[in-house]
Amino acid sequence: MNVRKFCITKLVWMTLLLCVLFSSIGTISASAAELEKVDKPCFIINGTEKVYEGEDYYNEETGEYFYWGKGRGVDKTFSFKIRYSVESSGFTVNGKSVVVDASAHVTYDNDIVNYGSFEYHVYLNGLYSRKLVFNIEGTQTGTISGLKNGGTYRVMISTGSVLPDNYYLDGEGTITS
């Protein structure tokens, strides 16, 4: 009786072990497309949506978008329409400073509106965060220095708080080392 109970117990444990082993093999394997996306730079829209470099993002519900331009290397060219923020994955800078050019305006139902002296922020986040404050009046240019040559940084554009319904920060920009 004890031998039979021992054999049944071992059989149950071996079956469970095999189930765990096969289920973990299924989760470990990933398609080539998934692996490729892991290595590609991306932007995060409003803290949740990921947009990979070379891809466009458009949210039909909110009207928000993010489109990549044709930048190469550390140069980033992009256009956006957001209610709160957009943040990139890390990219390497080839110098101790970058120049940021950006222009944006506030829209309501796709029409440009006078939103007063509205400011938005462009951050360069690494070990420390550095911020430029831009107005919605024309193209603004700023330099962020004190960077580590060859360091990895992320750029974030933020309105500072979520804009009211149907209001958006609509703009474009470049980051050049």
Side-chain angles (χ1 to χ4, degrees):
M1 191 91 133
N2 283 340
V3 171
R4 185 174 182 202
K5 187 176 181 182
F6 177 75
C7 288
I8 291 172
T9 304
K10 267 207 166 239
L11 183 61
V12 168
W13 278 109
M14 288 182 68
T15 304
L16 285 172
L17 181 64
L18 287 173
C19 288
V20 170
L21 178 66
F22 285 122
S23 67
S24 66
I25 288 172
T27 57
I28 291 172
S29 66
S31 71
E34 290 170 336
L35 290 175
E36 181 180 316
K37 280 191 172 188
V38 170
D39 294 335
K40 288 177 85 173
C42 64
F43 266 75
I44 299 174
I45 306 290
N46 297 327
T48 59
E49 298 281 342
K50 281 191 178 182
V51 182
Y52 290 92
E53 188 168 14
E55 295 180 3
D56 293 331
Y57 166 80
Y58 179 71
N59 184 326
E60 289 184 27
E61 282 183 30
T62 66
E64 293 173 288
Y65 65 81
F66 181 85
Y67 301 134
W68 281 102
K70 299 284 186 201
R72 292 185 176 248
V74 297
D75 296 340
K76 303 293 180 191
T77 303
F78 49 86
S79 59
F80 58 91
K81 181 178 179 181
I82 58 172
R83 291 189 59 217
Y84 179 59
S85 70
V86 59
E87 182 175 11
S88 75
S89 63
F91 63 94
T92 304
V93 296
N94 293 325
K96 294 189 177 204
S97 66
V98 294
V99 175
V100 179
D101 292 310
S103 64
H105 48 268
V106 175
T107 60
Y108 178 79
D109 286 336
N110 294 321
D111 293 325
I112 297 173
V113 295
N114 182 355
Y115 205 74
S117 60
F118 185 78
E119 296 178 336
Y120 61 100
H121 307 133
V122 178
Y123 296 87
L124 199 61
N125 298 324
L127 186 55
Y128 302 102
S129 181
R130 293 157 176 91
K131 174 175 77 170
L132 295 171
V133 179
F134 290 151
N135 287 311
I136 56 173
E137 301 168 0
T139 300
Q140 306 280 306
T141 299
T143 301
I144 298 176
S145 56
L147 305 177
K148 180 181 176 190
N149 188 9
T152 300
Y153 295 90
R154 297 177 323 278
V155 63
M156 182 173 90
I157 302 161
S158 173
T159 60
S161 62
V162 177
L163 290 172
D165 287 345
N166 299 322
Y167 283 90
Y168 298 94
L169 180 65
D170 194 340
E172 59 188 18
T174 62
I175 298 176
T176 310
S177 61

